Amino acid sequence: MLNGQQVETVYRRLSEAMPGRTKDAKGPKGQPDAFRSCISCMLSAQSLDRKTARAARALFDLAQTPEAMLELDDRDIAAAIKPCGLYNMKTRNIRKFCEYLLAEHGGVVPDTREGLLSMPGIGRKCADIVMCFTFGADVIAVDTHVHRVCNRIGLTDARTADKTAHQLEERSPDWALRDGHFWLIQFGKRICTSRSPKCDRCPVNDICLWLKAQQKQDQTHE
Ligand code: SF4
């Protein structure tokens, strides 16, 4: 993993190259409230962003509150969210989430990580995304892009997104917590893409551990 000084350098360079939350970074769209933010996050599991957005739009056309959601037939929910896959499991989770939200929280989504984690269907990733995007907390939420990027550069060395989130929390400087998610996610979408990272124009290509390993591998094959 990178040392503390290198971690600082990575964040500083990303902050110069990528938009933060105060600029033009794009968060989950169409989620003005915590309820819809939670549901959208549940829909995003193992789904591409555009498919999640399509499913969320179709579902919120049918219902926008937990009460209205519970009035729907499971088949209607499943049909609406079909584009994002795993729709039967996600339908069950949505129903359990709405029932619990109404029974335990009077329909109001809790605004703490612990409270969110107590909700059915909400894991660390969803909790942090809702905390970051909806409640404006200084939290680096870890989705697939952030997970990939952090472990490539060497900010973390974790196999799962939850472990990455844990390590990031421990290793990130306080000044980077507010916008870190936004820098990392934009970086993962624009430069350090999944299949063909654009290493030649990457602002941290002199530090990235993944690139160093690739170069070493190339040298041994020459
Ligand atoms: S050098 Fe390449 S792999 Fe490393 S962070 Fe930059 S784009 Fe990603």
Side-chain angles (χ1 to χ4, degrees), residues 11-30:
Y11 277 119
R12 185 172 46 72
R13 290 194 195 162
L14 293 186
S15 74
E16 287 160 2
M18 296 293 140
R21 82 168 75 188
T22 51
K23 297 183 189 161
D24 65 336
K26 304 213 173 28
K29 294 184 193 112

Side-chain angles (χ1 to χ4, degrees), residues 7-222:
V7 170
E8 289 261 354
T9 304
V10 167
Y11 277 119
R12 185 172 46 72
R13 290 194 195 162
L14 293 186
S15 74
E16 287 160 2
M18 296 293 140
R21 82 168 75 188
T22 51
K23 297 183 189 161
D24 65 336
K26 304 213 173 28
K29 294 184 193 112
Q31 297 166 24
D33 61 63
F35 173 69
R36 280 189 273 178
S37 192
C38 285
I39 298 286
S40 295
C41 205
M42 290 161 79
L43 295 179
S44 73
Q46 294 181 47
S47 169
L48 297 173
D49 291 352
R50 64 187 162 77
K51 292 188 174 178
T52 303
R54 216 170 101 206
R57 264 198 310 276
L59 182 61
F60 297 139
D61 278 349
L62 298 177
Q64 299 195 4
T65 64
E67 293 89 344
M69 205 64 81
L70 289 176
E71 298 267 308
L72 297 175
D73 190 276
D74 279 358
R75 279 170 302 188
D76 294 332
I77 298 178
I81 67 172
K82 201 166 184 177
C84 68
L86 303 174
Y87 51 90
N88 285 327
M89 183 195 78
K90 290 176 183 177
T91 296
R92 282 194 297 276
N93 284 345
I94 288 169
R95 186 166 288 286
K96 279 189 210 156
F97 174 85
C98 291
E99 285 168 353
Y100 190 90
L101 183 63
L102 287 170
E104 300 297 326
H105 297 283
V108 179
V109 174
D111 62 0
T112 62
R113 182 189 278 157
E114 295 68 32
L116 285 162
L117 285 173
S118 73
M119 306 288 300
I122 301 291
R124 166 87 188 232
K125 181 188 102 173
C126 281
D128 283 356
I129 282 179
V130 174
M131 287 304 295
C132 176
F133 282 96
T134 305
F135 296 124
D138 292 349
V139 168
I140 299 182
V142 177
D143 65 1
T144 48
H145 299 292
V146 175
H147 176 60
R148 177 184 69 250
V149 164
C150 289
N151 288 290
R152 269 188 183 161
I153 301 175
L155 291 174
T156 55
D157 67 350
R159 283 181 188 274
T160 66
D162 280 3
K163 283 189 181 145
T164 296
H166 186 68
Q167 289 185 1
L168 271 188
E169 196 166 30
E170 287 188 334
R171 310 195 79 231
S172 302
D174 288 348
W175 61 266
L177 295 180
R178 180 178 158 75
D179 285 355
H181 170 86
F182 297 84
W183 300 328
L184 289 162
I185 201 165
Q186 293 301 319
F187 180 64
K189 286 180 178 178
R190 296 177 185 186
I191 307 268
C192 193
T193 52
S194 171
R195 294 210 178 135
S196 47
K198 300 168 182 65
C199 302
D200 53 333
R201 57 186 185 87
C202 169
V204 295
N205 58 12
D206 58 326
I207 301 176
C208 172
L209 295 183
W210 184 86
L211 185 60
K212 279 196 172 77
Q214 293 296 311
Q215 289 166 338
K216 207 167 163 187
Q217 225 174 44
D218 290 347
Q219 278 164 6
T220 50
H221 288 137
E222 275 169 14

